[in-house]
Amino acid sequence: EVQLLESGGGLAQPGGSLRLSCVATGFTFNIYAMSWVRQAPGKGLEWVSSISDDGASTYYADSVQGRFIISRDNSKNTLFLQMNSLRAEDTAVYYCAKARDSFFESYNDYWGQGTLVTVSS
Amino acid sequence: DIQMTQSPASLSASIGDRVTITCRASQVVGHYVAWYQHKPGIPPKLLIYGASILQVGVPSRFSGSRSGTDFNLTISSLQPEDGATYYCQKYNTAPLSFGGGTKAEIK
């Protein structure tokens, strides 16, 4: 059974940093691309970032480009999102999602439960 | 960037009704559109990919179609458990944009 378990959310101050993790089980992690998708309170889903299966290619939404860094450790079946220079508008539930393919241009067939990030002073 | 304009933003329908949600892409995206169902407190669930391919395990009352840059998600006979927000997503290239969502309410 595919499982994605996010952690690392919490309260951060504007300008601060947080690092999200997503541990994957139940599938061969290193042959699939992965993504982060977020949902701000009362808003819709927003794609944040994606990474290819080998970690060589990464992509970001304009809203987080230059502030967030996606990475993965295939030896530990773990996906990361380093979030820097946080803003109030980054407040959201962050979902880890598995892509159907090795390349990021793919739909997401499994999603984690999400972790809440709140940016506030 | 390609925009996905989803309509309606909300709908209210009765059990057994046929419901159609539309996404219009601002440029050609081929058949690279997926549809998801999202309920509060539950992760989004993949319903349709490749514009019209039903994900394994999804009830057959859900279907997807494409006409050029217009994409439809149809629920042929609305059920109580279909109360949710539905999103389209294009995935041909970055950014992997979502539509604004359609909140479906059961009367």
Side-chain angles (χ1 to χ4, degrees):
Chain A
E1 178 189 7
V2 172
Q3 290 194 341
L4 300 168
L5 184 61
E6 303 97 335
S7 62
L11 178 64
Q13 293 197 335
S17 298
L18 278 178
R19 189 192 198 202
L20 305 185
S21 299
C22 171
V23 176
T25 58
F27 65 100
T28 306
F29 183 71
N30 63 6
I31 63 171
Y32 293 100
M34 298 292 294
S35 294
W36 290 98
V37 176
R38 69 185 180 183
Q39 184 178 35
K43 303 293 186 181
L45 298 177
E46 179 188 14
W47 171 76
V48 173
S49 182
S50 296
I51 187 168
S52 58
D53 59 340
D54 60 1
S57 299
T58 58
Y59 305 87
Y60 300 92
D62 288 346
S63 57
V64 307
Q65 179 77 48
R67 301 187 298 121
F68 290 10
I69 300 172
I70 190 172
S71 62
R72 63 192 297 162
D73 184 341
N74 284 346
S75 69
K76 296 181 179 179
N77 289 355
T78 303
L79 176 72
F80 302 101
L81 186 67
Q82 177 67 43
M83 304 188 295
N84 302 321
S85 302
L86 284 163
R87 305 167 179 167
E89 54 265 35
D90 296 319
T91 295
V93 173
Y94 284 74
Y95 295 98
C96 162
K98 170 189 169 294
R100 178 61 181 84
D101 300 291
S102 61
F103 44 89
F104 85 99
E105 299 95 333
S106 180
Y107 53 92
N108 299 119
D109 54 359
Y110 291 94
W111 298 63
Q113 292 288 333
T115 187
L116 176 62
V117 171
T118 302
V119 183
S120 174
S121 55
Chain B
D1 292 346
I2 299 173
Q3 308 300 319
M4 299 296 287
T5 303
Q6 190 171 338
S7 62
S10 64
L11 62 90
S12 181
S14 300
I15 301 302
D17 282 354
R18 182 182 182 88
V19 168
T20 297
I21 298 167
T22 297
C23 263
R24 173 166 290 175
S26 60
Q27 298 175 42
V28 172
V29 297
H31 59 275
Y32 298 101
V33 169
W35 290 93
Y36 302 90
Q37 178 191 64
H38 193 199
K39 298 180 179 181
I42 300 174
K45 175 185 177 182
L46 175 67
L47 299 175
I48 300 283
Y49 62 93
S52 61
I53 302 172
L54 193 68
Q55 170 71 345
V56 171
V58 174
S60 59
R61 64 180 180 273
F62 291 93
S63 64
S65 64
R66 170 198 174 195
S67 177
T69 58
D70 288 347
F71 298 85
N72 288 336
L73 173 70
T74 298
I75 308 174
S76 60
S77 178
L78 196 67
Q79 298 301 302
E81 60 267 32
D82 299 336
T85 302
Y86 295 85
Y87 296 91
C88 63
Q89 182 194 29
K90 67 97 172 168
Y91 57 91
N92 61 316
T93 189
L96 307 184
S97 310
F98 288 89
T102 296
K103 186 173 184 178
E105 174 194 84
I106 313 298
K107 285 181 183 176

